[in-house]
Amino acid sequence: MISVSVRKLIDRQQFEHVYQPLWDLFNWSIFGYESLVRVNGVNYVERLFQAAREEGCLYEFDLVLLESSISQFPFLEKKGRLLFVNVYPSTVLHHKFEPFLKRIIERFPYAKNRIVFELNETKAEEDIWGDDGLKAAIQTMREYGFYIAIDDVGKGASTLQKIIELQPDYVKLDRYFAQGLASNEEKQKIVSLLADYCGRKMVLVLEGIEKEVDLAQAKLLRVPAAQGYLLGKPGKLT
């Protein structure tokens, strides 16, 4: 458990954002950045969100982080680059989420078609993925000019079903598949299969690239995009 109140963090804005680059492996260029939250004294950020759920303020915490991250991202300086932000399905289904999207577009008109919402998986919200309301909410997000990603694909049991049913714009493959990719033929088969399936409909992003040999293997498998410490650690944007 953590010793800090999430509600106090929200009220005092006691958090900051760092950004990790995502690389286009075909053109060898940065095409986007994922926003990650950091709080002094908290080593495992996931526990913050669990605490927010227990305090009954997960939605508020999610939205405060989203708006703060978007407001701090240098859209004008990083022309053409996408901002990837994490969000929980329960937040997307909240009745105040669509008004939030409207406010974002009004405040940051230059952010239209530049933001990717990464849907976070958690056991506490597993049932929500089958909710027809989620599909409708995702369609609404797209109508406002936002993109959708499914995070940590391959980690959960039903992720492939989610890809088929939701047809995200980006599929982020769990770091498990990047670790030792060059020496593991079974992982290579799965990564190649997903790369072929995604094709031009979706962009497959391999997370957790830490070794050059695994990056080289990803390129050989025609993986279009990647993210990881080898390609850039989370940090402040200048």
Side-chain angles (χ1 to χ4, degrees):
M1 294 299 294
I2 62 171
S3 59
V4 63
S5 164
V6 177
R7 289 190 183 278
K8 287 183 179 179
L9 285 178
I10 295 173
D11 292 340
R12 299 173 184 174
Q13 298 279 297
Q14 291 178 321
F15 51 80
E16 62 178 2
H17 302 282
V18 291
Y19 300 86
Q20 185 174 30
L22 289 91
W23 282 77
D24 179 333
L25 299 187
F26 293 165
N27 298 317
W28 198 237
S29 61
I30 295 173
F31 72 93
Y33 294 87
E34 180 181 356
S35 174
L36 301 164
V37 65
R38 295 288 184 265
V39 175
N40 284 336
V42 178
N43 294 325
Y44 299 100
V45 176
E46 293 79 8
R47 293 178 181 174
L48 275 178
F49 293 98
Q50 179 59 36
R53 191 183 299 278
E54 293 169 358
E55 290 180 36
C57 61
L58 179 60
Y59 171 77
E60 290 86 349
F61 191 42
D62 232 2
L63 253 59
V64 164
L65 293 179
L66 284 171
E67 191 155 4
S68 173
S69 175
I70 292 168
S71 67
Q72 292 180 32
F73 187 73
F75 286 98
L76 299 180
E77 290 82 357
K78 302 291 183 182
K79 292 182 179 179
R81 307 283 170 78
L82 298 171
L83 172 63
F84 286 69
V85 290
N86 292 275
V87 65
Y88 282 95
S90 59
T91 298
V92 172
L93 281 179
H94 197 284
H95 69 278
K96 290 184 178 180
F97 188 66
E98 185 175 352
F100 167 77
L101 295 180
K102 290 180 180 178
R103 186 169 76 249
I104 290 298
I105 292 300
E106 290 170 0
R107 280 193 64 193
F108 314 103
Y110 43 80
K112 190 171 184 179
N113 298 315
R114 303 266 310 269
I115 296 176
V116 182
F117 283 98
E118 292 190 26
L119 297 177
N120 287 329
E121 285 192 280
T122 176
K123 289 183 180 179
E125 298 192 359
E126 188 61 38
D127 292 342
I128 294 178
W129 289 88
D131 191 321
D132 288 338
L134 183 61
K135 295 179 183 177
I138 287 174
Q139 180 57 35
T140 298
M141 293 163 73
R142 287 185 162 131
E143 290 170 359
Y144 277 102
F146 298 104
Y147 299 110
I148 305 298
I150 295 182
D151 198 15
D152 296 331
V153 167
K155 196 173 184 179
S158 59
T159 338
L160 295 180
Q161 179 180 339
K162 293 165 187 171
I163 294 174
I164 293 170
E165 293 184 356
L166 299 178
Q167 291 290 292
D169 303 288
Y170 294 86
V171 173
K172 301 192 75 179
L173 194 54
D174 187 69
R175 63 178 56 250
Y176 164 80
F177 294 94
Q179 296 169 352
L181 177 64
S183 59
N184 190 312
E185 291 186 6
E186 298 306 314
K187 288 184 180 182
Q188 292 171 24
K189 290 176 184 177
I190 296 297
V191 172
S192 179
L193 185 67
L194 281 171
D196 287 343
Y197 172 77
C198 290
R200 296 183 179 180
K201 298 182 300 180
M202 315 169 199
V203 177
L204 181 68
V205 180
L206 181 57
E207 298 183 289
I209 293 285
E210 296 181 358
K211 296 183 178 180
E212 290 186 7
V213 66
D214 294 325
L215 174 61
Q217 185 64 58
K219 288 182 177 181
L220 286 174
L221 296 173
R222 303 295 293 168
V223 173
Q227 180 179 1
Y229 275 26
L230 178 66
L231 298 168
K233 295 181 180 180
K236 293 290 188 178
L237 294 178
T238 55

